Amino acid sequence: MLLGQSILFAVLQASLFLGYGMSEIERRFLTCADPSLQCDYGVIMVYGVKFSTIEKLSSNESPKACSDTEAFNGVSNRCDGNGKCEVATSGSVCDLCNSAHLSDIFLDVTYGCLESKKVTTCEGAGVVHLECGNGVVFLQKALYGRTDSQTCSQGRPQSQLTNTKCSQEGTLALWSQRCDGKQMCEVNMRVNQISDPCYGTYKYLDVTYICLPAQTSITCEGSTSSLDCGKGVMKVFHANYGRRDGSTCSAGRHELSNQNCLQPKTLDIVKQWCEGKSQCTVGLDPVFGDPCYGTYKYLEVSYTCLGGTPTV
């Protein structure tokens, strides 16, 4: 992925003022001796990777070919959303530490640290919102239950606070499906109260998320859309084919009642079409199957352009 470092730096620096909670953009050279990235706070977001090698003069073997796109995808998959990551692990990114082939190999990585936001809602409270302005929500953690005796404790008897090992399975998956990729997401405690993970304990919902500097493309069922990053390339954060609200692609339609229609394989398909490319076409409905028969669906894709300005 051939990115102009000065252009990339300018684009990302501009995002500091859009409310994404991003640290200064950093550039590191990863080698076998030092193959890790780390954020002192927040989580890693990789924006560019270049691959370089110096072959051993005494070796007749050629190093494993690695394009900048391959290197970017490998580092991004390992590091994005984590506080720390090791690039040179089993199945390393383009044989970073294969000493049989190389005397030196490094990855030139440009990345930033995104600050996490946390929202806590006490049981019985009203609706709260996760908001990201011009960016999109991406959940990191979600807990429904109780893990300490202080949170949401005011006015509650001690007997409702003693169980601090209470958590409902699937809470992160539930809210990720509902919120990831949206600029604003409504969090309603009633959604979590389908079952009770610890009867008699006063519970709360803890949600930790980051705001990604991304835009969202919507393609109604039966249509296609062209995504264009000009001279830049795409990084896809989230994609779903289905329906998550009652207003999107709703004009003249009545088949809107199912607003929890999800197709888990959408992201992998859209990444194959678009990740690391300057242009792509999305919205080929048959590829996704029909995750909710009888519901009018749409494809939503949250992405950003690295190294250029989008022309969508």
Side-chain angles (χ1 to χ4, degrees):
M1 181 173 51
L2 301 176
L3 301 176
Q5 289 290 340
S6 60
I7 297 176
L8 176 61
F9 188 84
V11 170
L12 296 180
Q13 283 295 96
S15 70
L16 290 171
F17 303 100
L18 298 180
Y20 300 128
M22 186 189 299
S23 70
E24 294 289 331
I25 303 305
E26 298 187 33
R27 183 179 179 186
R28 284 210 59 205
F29 295 94
L30 302 186
T31 66
C32 187
D34 185 11
S36 65
L37 296 177
Q38 181 172 342
C39 286
D40 293 332
Y41 71 92
V43 296
I44 298 165
M45 186 57 56
V46 177
Y47 294 102
V49 179
K50 287 188 175 183
F51 177 87
S52 181
T53 66
I54 301 173
E55 296 183 45
K56 280 184 176 179
L57 297 177
S58 59
S59 174
N60 294 323
E61 298 180 87
S62 299
K64 179 178 179 180
C66 184
S67 69
D68 290 339
T69 298
E70 286 179 293
F72 170 77
N73 289 340
V75 176
S76 177
N77 290 337
R78 290 176 185 224
C79 298
D80 283 355
N82 299 315
K84 183 179 180 179
C85 68
E86 292 281 338
V87 173
T89 58
S90 177
S92 63
V93 178
C94 302
D95 287 343
L96 178 63
C97 294
N98 190 338
S99 58
H101 291 172
L102 306 168
S103 60
D104 191 20
I105 178 172
F106 64 83
L107 299 177
D108 181 355
V109 181
T110 305
Y111 73 103
C113 298
L114 292 176
E115 181 182 358
S116 299
K117 301 183 179 183
K118 185 176 181 180
V119 173
T120 300
T121 311
C122 303
E123 186 175 359
V127 173
V128 297
H129 295 90
L130 312 183
E131 298 186 59
C132 280
N134 293 327
V136 297
V137 172
F138 193 84
L139 265 66
Q140 295 177 279
K141 301 176 183 178
L143 165 82
Y144 177 62
R146 177 168 290 278
T147 58
D148 65 65
S149 58
Q150 287 78 42
T151 304
C152 292
S153 60
Q154 186 174 4
R156 291 289 160 178
Q158 191 62 32
S159 61
Q160 295 183 357
L161 309 174
T162 54
N163 184 354
T164 58
K165 295 183 179 180
C166 169
S167 63
Q168 187 177 69
E169 290 187 12
T171 302
L172 177 59
L174 170 69
W175 287 108
S176 292
Q177 291 167 351
R178 290 176 176 269
C179 296
D180 281 0
K182 293 184 177 181
Q183 289 183 322
M184 188 273 290
C185 183
E186 181 179 281
V187 176
N188 189 331
M189 282 287 286
R190 288 193 296 272
V191 174
N192 271 96
Q193 293 171 348
I194 299 173
S195 62
D196 192 335
C198 46
Y199 182 77
T201 295
Y202 186 62
K203 294 166 282 292
Y204 54 85
L205 175 66
D206 258 350
V207 176
T208 302
Y209 68 102
I210 56 176
C211 291
L212 296 173
Q215 58 184 310
T216 299
S217 165
I218 299 293
T219 308
C220 301
E221 184 176 350
S223 303
T224 60
S225 297
S226 295
L227 309 186
D228 191 337
C229 278
K231 295 182 179 180
V233 294
M234 293 176 214
K235 180 177 178 66
V236 181
F237 294 123
H238 174 267
N240 182 61
Y241 178 68
R243 176 166 292 278
R244 298 198 295 171
D245 62 56
S247 57
T248 305
C249 291
S250 60
R253 294 287 173 173
H254 304 286
E255 320 95 309
L256 310 174
S257 59
N258 185 351
Q259 296 174 22
N260 191 33
C261 176
L262 310 166
Q263 174 51 277
K265 67 180 182 181
T266 308
L267 180 59
D268 288 340
I269 293 173
V270 173
K271 279 193 171 186
Q272 290 175 9
W273 289 343
C274 301
E275 188 89 335
K277 298 179 181 178
S278 295
Q279 298 176 329
C280 66
T281 299
V282 299
L284 304 176
D285 300 344
V287 177
F288 302 111
D290 192 339
C292 47
Y293 181 77
T295 295
Y296 186 62
K297 294 168 281 291
Y298 55 87
L299 171 66
E300 52 183 324
V301 179
S302 296
Y303 70 101
T304 193
C305 293
L306 301 179
T309 303
T311 57
V312 175

